[in-house]
Amino acid sequence: MRHIRVPGIMEVTVSAAHSPAGAETCDVREALDLITDKWSLYIISNLGGGPRRFNELKRVVSGVTQRMLTVSLRRLERDGVIIRTVHELMPPRVSYRLTPLGSSLLQAAAPLIAWSSSHISDIADARASYDRDSSRSVDIA
Amino acid sequence: MRHIRVPGIMEVTVSAAHSPAGAETCDVREALDLITDKWSLYIISNLGGGPRRFNELKRVVSGVTQRMLTVSLRRLERDGVIIRTVHELMPPRVSYRLTPLGSSLLQAAAPLIAWSSSHISDIADARASYDRDSSRSVDIA
DNA sequence: CTGTATCCGGTACGATACTG
DNA sequence: CAGTATCGTACCGGATACAG
């Protein structure tokens, strides 16, 4: 494994040790940006069940527009996460599937996805609580 | 655990079973949006090592502006992920720490963070390769 | 030290129309 | 079916100045 540049970011995986060094340039963002857009995580998770065609994805990734699906798929392809395969048929048929890199990404993202789905109500409650008290009730030490 | 609305999104955690149902409204996004902004994940990961003060975070989260740090912290506080504590001192001292919910989020995100840092070069290679061949060499079945 | 207020630009995203 | 092209906009995030 490569050396990590961002202090604190690896504390998670190793332990809770305090990182003494100052922050330098941040390489990790390059990879993290991969999934900090609106659709990538949903597309990837849907490809986890096997190859999908364009319109299959369009149907199952609720709310995505044709344009954004195309843009997202192109980007994921460029990043080596998915493979685009054109079947020479009429009507045209294009399928997308995860690369090994993509599969490993999906596995890594799975806990976060699971967390999200199981803590939706916690977050909603926290927001409601925050907005209700919105004004005072700050935590004073 | 609650029932999941987005087909495919849970295929990951359970198995690779194909989901038959169509897509409905997407609740998971609500929670996932928590970390699809530019700074939250970095802030949270830095708070994994214990409470931090405002300027500590500002130093260690490289590149963040004062404004965005404030905005991000407020949002995370509203979502119940962190707690803001004001110490009545002069000069003022404010510290931030993870809530139990925040800790669980960090744990869930840890694999993804680790994946990102260990696959930076893979992604860079894929991009270089994609850009080099940019024009044909499509995958024909 | 820990913020808030204001301005402002880039771009992510959506809507719509058109194409091989 | 699987896209492209074009246009419009909301908003994220940076820069800067100011404040308790």
Side-chain angles (χ1 to χ4, degrees):
Chain A
M1 181 185 285
R2 299 173 65 257
H3 181 61
I4 310 305
R5 311 291 178 74
V6 177
I9 212 88
M10 282 305 287
E11 295 175 5
V12 190
T13 54
V14 290
S15 74
H18 182 260
S19 173
E24 308 180 38
T25 57
C26 182
D27 291 342
V28 190
R29 178 170 305 287
E30 288 294 313
L32 232 30
D33 280 348
L34 231 174
I35 47 90
T36 57
D37 69 309
K38 196 171 181 180
W39 303 108
S40 294
L41 222 41
Y42 295 89
I43 294 171
I44 292 171
S45 81
N46 275 295
L47 289 179
R52 297 282 186 269
R53 297 177 54 186
F54 186 85
N55 274 358
E56 279 183 310
L57 286 173
K58 190 170 183 317
R59 273 188 297 274
V60 86
V61 179
S62 58
V64 71
T65 61
Q66 213 161 36
R67 172 187 145 80
M68 287 317 296
L69 183 55
T70 302
V71 170
S72 302
L73 287 170
R74 287 291 180 281
R75 182 179 178 183
L76 291 172
E77 189 192 5
R78 184 172 110 98
D79 288 335
V81 170
I82 65 174
I83 290 178
R84 176 175 182 268
T85 305
V86 179
H87 304 77
E88 290 300 337
L89 293 173
M90 203 50 187
R93 170 179 291 232
V94 179
S95 68
Y96 297 88
R97 61 192 158 88
L98 293 178
T99 62
L101 183 65
S103 292
S104 69
L105 170 56
L106 179 53
Q107 301 235 350
L112 187 58
I113 294 173
W115 183 92
S116 298
S117 57
S118 58
H119 288 90
I120 298 168
S121 53
D122 295 299
I123 295 173
D125 291 349
R127 285 178 184 166
S129 168
Y130 183 95
D131 294 343
R132 175 161 22 82
D133 313 336
S134 97
S135 27
R136 93 280 73 292
S137 132
V138 229
D139 189 16
I140 310 279
Chain B
M1 179 185 284
R2 299 174 64 257
H3 182 62
I4 309 307
R5 312 293 177 76
V6 177
I9 213 86
M10 282 305 287
E11 295 176 4
V12 191
T13 54
V14 290
S15 74
H18 182 261
S19 174
E24 309 179 39
T25 56
C26 183
D27 291 342
V28 191
R29 177 170 306 286
E30 287 296 312
L32 232 29
D33 279 349
L34 231 174
I35 49 89
T36 57
D37 69 309
K38 196 170 180 181
W39 303 108
S40 293
L41 220 41
Y42 294 89
I43 294 171
I44 292 171
S45 81
N46 275 295
L47 289 179
R52 297 281 185 270
R53 297 180 52 188
F54 186 84
N55 273 0
E56 279 183 311
L57 286 172
K58 190 170 182 319
R59 272 189 298 273
V60 86
V61 180
S62 59
V64 72
T65 60
Q66 212 161 38
R67 172 187 143 82
M68 287 317 296
L69 183 56
T70 302
V71 170
S72 302
L73 287 169
R74 286 293 180 279
R75 180 179 179 184
L76 290 172
E77 188 192 6
R78 184 173 111 98
D79 287 335
V81 169
I82 65 174
I83 291 177
R84 176 175 181 268
T85 306
V86 179
H87 303 78
E88 290 299 338
L89 292 173
M90 203 51 186
R93 170 180 292 231
V94 180
S95 68
Y96 297 88
R97 60 192 158 89
L98 293 178
T99 61
L101 183 65
S103 292
S104 69
L105 169 57
L106 179 53
Q107 301 238 349
L112 187 58
I113 295 173
W115 183 93
S116 298
S117 58
S118 60
H119 289 89
I120 298 168
S121 54
D122 295 293
I123 295 173
D125 292 348
R127 285 178 186 169
S129 169
Y130 184 95
D131 294 343
R132 176 161 20 82
D133 313 336
S134 94
S135 29
R136 93 287 67 270
S137 132
V138 232
D139 189 17
I140 309 279

